[in-house]
Amino acid sequence: MRIDEQTAAKIKDAANVVDVLGDFIELRKKGMNYQALCPFHNDHHLGSFVINPRTNTWRCFSCGKGGNSIDFLMLHDHLSFPDALRWIGRKYSITIPGEDSQQSWQHLPSHAKVHKAPAKLPVIELPLSYVKARRDISQDTFCNWIKSLPWNSAQRERVGRVLNAYLVGHARSGHTIFWQLDREGHVRTGHMMLYNPDGHRNKTMRGSNSWVHYLLRNPGHGRAPFIADENHADIDYQLFGMHLLDLVPQATVNIVESEKTALLATICWGNQKSQLWMACNGLSWLSKERLQPLFSEHRKIVLYPDRDGVEKWKEKARDLGYERLSVNTTYIDRFWCKEIGEKADIGDIIIYSLTHTINPVEAASPKPFKPSRSNKDIAAEVLAKMTARNPNLKELVNRLQLEPITISYANN
């Protein structure tokens, strides 16, 4: 029997995606959304399947399925559209005129099979005091190198602010610490790197590339009581800069491999409100789970690969399957030269540009590259086009000894 439009609309309005899906799969709250294991493919990791209460919809970023509560029932229990409406009507005690509720609903699933998510290990959270105690970067080799670069005056004013915003720290061992905080400000870990005075990584010393949580677990460095054993705790690795996400809700997120490059790009541009730079620490770290907060907000994401990783990043972008994600190789293609190195990234281009003829803003800006021209140049170009069409105009200009004028536009 056909369900009348008024009743169907009433059922659709009543259907709450969290309530309905919660009868079939185990949901876990993550920020303003919910996550679950996707029941439509062999899903083993939380993060791909997202339920958004604000839009009353769900979506799996792995298999591509999505929709509302009705779509879920049709896919999950192979119900027809009318039967999906009947199921929701029964859940919310909405009577369908002209139908015997017992007879029309007796063939519908009476209870759901819940897909249990794997038991999650406790997530490590370091005390914020660890970050505060390691904020003196006056003796840090990397920070002093980045301050010594020949920035212009505007960029030089940004250096301290950028290092402070990203909470760059310094360890007694000489390591620079790139702290990883989640968007709520919880300290998850810190990436520890040793640098030479020329800004290159020191790869000769043992332990030059390490993590704060690893050192805390190592008995040789002391075991802190709040750090669980590595077999009984989980590390929630974050994109470097994730804690800044809520401060710039409209910003495009640009992702590079290294923290060093993210900092150089931010100092070079200074437009954090529209362009936020983050680092993922390498291709293998660029996962759907780590990018899920950006997907959930429908953020525009641009990947900036190293020169030797362009094809891998393009392939990764295709695998991620997110419609607002793109790969930008414009500046590697345009400004790379052998002197910069075979494995160059846009950070290397910025450094090279500071001591060569390349304008670092033009070289690294995500905006389309346009050579700067003065108003006088533009006027001369317009005049040339006009005189080409009308030779008499050229003669008049020559006789009167006219020159192209420069027009100033106020507030433009």
Side-chain angles (χ1 to χ4, degrees):
M1 179 178 291
R2 183 177 180 273
I3 301 175
D4 66 277
E5 293 183 4
Q6 185 175 358
T7 303
K10 185 177 180 181
I11 292 173
K12 290 177 185 177
D13 290 340
N16 179 289
V17 69
V18 175
D19 288 345
V20 174
L21 271 64
D23 286 342
F24 292 84
I25 55 179
E26 183 178 330
L27 309 183
R28 286 188 175 166
K29 196 165 185 356
K30 183 73 172 179
M32 298 183 69
N33 298 328
Y34 289 81
Q35 295 180 347
L37 291 180
C38 179
F40 304 117
H41 76 281
N42 190 22
D43 194 6
H44 297 288
H45 302 285
L46 288 172
S48 297
F49 191 92
V50 179
I51 301 96
N52 189 331
R54 290 166 291 179
T55 60
N56 212 29
T57 58
W58 60 274
R59 182 176 180 184
C60 177
F61 290 93
S62 287
C63 67
K65 292 182 174 61
N68 55 26
S69 301
I70 297 171
D71 298 315
F72 181 88
L73 290 169
M74 293 171 67
L75 285 168
H76 190 271
D77 278 273
H78 310 289
L79 299 180
S80 65
F81 180 78
D83 280 348
L85 288 176
R86 291 186 178 96
W87 192 97
I88 295 173
R90 179 179 62 182
K91 177 178 178 63
Y92 291 99
S93 302
I94 298 174
T95 302
I96 299 177
E99 289 194 357
D100 182 333
S101 61
Q102 294 299 322
Q103 184 175 3
S104 61
W105 292 342
Q106 64 182 359
H107 66 288
L108 301 182
S110 58
H111 63 278
K113 296 179 180 180
V114 176
H115 295 253
K116 292 289 184 182
K120 288 200 72 175
L121 296 172
V123 177
I124 284 179
E125 179 180 349
L126 305 181
L128 189 60
S129 60
Y130 266 49
V131 178
K132 294 179 179 178
R134 290 157 179 81
R135 288 294 295 121
D136 182 5
I137 57 176
S138 60
Q139 302 301 315
D140 187 78
T141 302
F142 170 80
C143 292
N144 287 333
W145 166 78
I146 211 168
K147 292 175 182 178
S148 71
L149 293 173
W151 303 107
N152 64 35
S153 58
Q155 293 163 342
R156 185 164 299 284
E157 289 181 1
R158 298 180 196 133
V159 174
R161 295 200 302 268
V162 170
L163 294 175
N164 185 61
Y166 282 87
L167 300 175
V168 180
H170 176 72
R172 289 192 298 269
S173 59
H175 289 80
T176 303
I177 308 176
F178 302 105
W179 293 104
Q180 290 188 2
L181 284 72
D182 62 22
R183 63 188 311 168
E184 286 81 26
H186 304 299
V187 185
R188 297 307 178 189
T189 187
H191 193 192
M192 303 177 66
M193 307 278 283
L194 275 179
Y195 285 90
N196 293 320
D198 62 358
H200 291 99
R201 279 178 50 195
N202 182 339
K203 300 180 181 180
T204 60
M205 292 186 62
R206 185 180 178 183
S208 62
N209 183 0
S210 188
W211 296 87
V212 170
H213 69 269
Y214 174 80
L215 294 179
L216 289 173
R217 283 172 171 168
N218 189 323
H221 293 79
R223 183 185 297 273
F226 54 84
I227 298 293
D229 184 81
E230 76 177 63
N231 296 320
H232 299 89
D234 194 16
I235 305 299
D236 188 11
Y237 292 102
Q238 300 288 315
L239 292 172
F240 175 64
M242 180 64 77
H243 64 287
L244 301 173
L245 196 62
D246 287 342
L247 301 178
V248 283
Q250 304 302 321
T252 295
V253 175
N254 303 308
I255 299 178
V256 293
E257 284 199 31
S258 75
E259 298 94 343
K260 171 183 170 180
T261 298
L263 294 170
L264 288 170
T266 306
I267 294 169
C268 185
W269 290 326
N271 53 346
Q272 283 182 274
K273 290 184 179 180
S274 61
Q275 304 289 330
L276 177 62
W277 288 87
M278 294 184 179
C280 65
N281 299 308
L283 179 64
S284 60
W285 298 77
L286 199 64
S287 65
K288 286 185 178 180
E289 184 175 6
R290 205 152 287 129
L291 295 179
Q292 193 56 59
L294 309 181
F295 292 170
S296 300
E297 293 185 358
H298 208 55
R299 290 266 187 163
K300 183 179 179 181
I301 306 171
V302 183
L303 306 181
Y304 287 83
D306 295 0
R307 185 173 181 271
D308 63 342
V310 171
E311 293 306 318
K312 290 182 180 179
W313 279 55
K314 287 182 178 179
E315 181 181 351
K316 187 68 174 182
R318 288 190 291 268
D319 292 342
L320 289 169
Y322 177 62
E323 67 276 9
R324 300 205 73 195
L325 184 146
S326 61
V327 179
N328 190 321
T329 64
T330 302
Y331 309 101
I332 292 290
D333 296 339
R334 180 170 293 168
F335 294 102
W336 178 83
C337 62
K338 290 183 178 180
E339 291 79 6
I340 302 179
E342 293 293 334
K343 298 183 178 181
D345 60 16
I346 61 170
D348 296 315
I349 289 178
I350 292 173
I351 296 169
Y352 183 82
S353 71
L354 292 174
T355 54
H356 294 75
T357 57
I358 301 175
N359 183 316
V361 176
E362 293 173 350
S365 173
K367 298 178 181 178
F369 175 78
K370 294 181 180 179
S372 57
R373 297 185 300 164
S374 67
N375 287 334
K376 187 172 182 178
D377 292 335
I378 297 172
E381 183 179 319
V382 172
L383 181 60
K385 291 180 180 179
M386 294 174 63
T387 55
R389 295 176 183 175
N390 189 344
N392 294 330
L393 180 59
K394 184 176 182 179
E395 183 179 353
L396 178 62
V397 170
N398 291 336
R399 285 189 178 185
L400 297 178
Q401 297 182 338
L402 299 177
E403 293 183 0
I405 60 173
T406 299
I407 302 175
S408 177
Y409 295 93
N411 301 322
N412 191 12

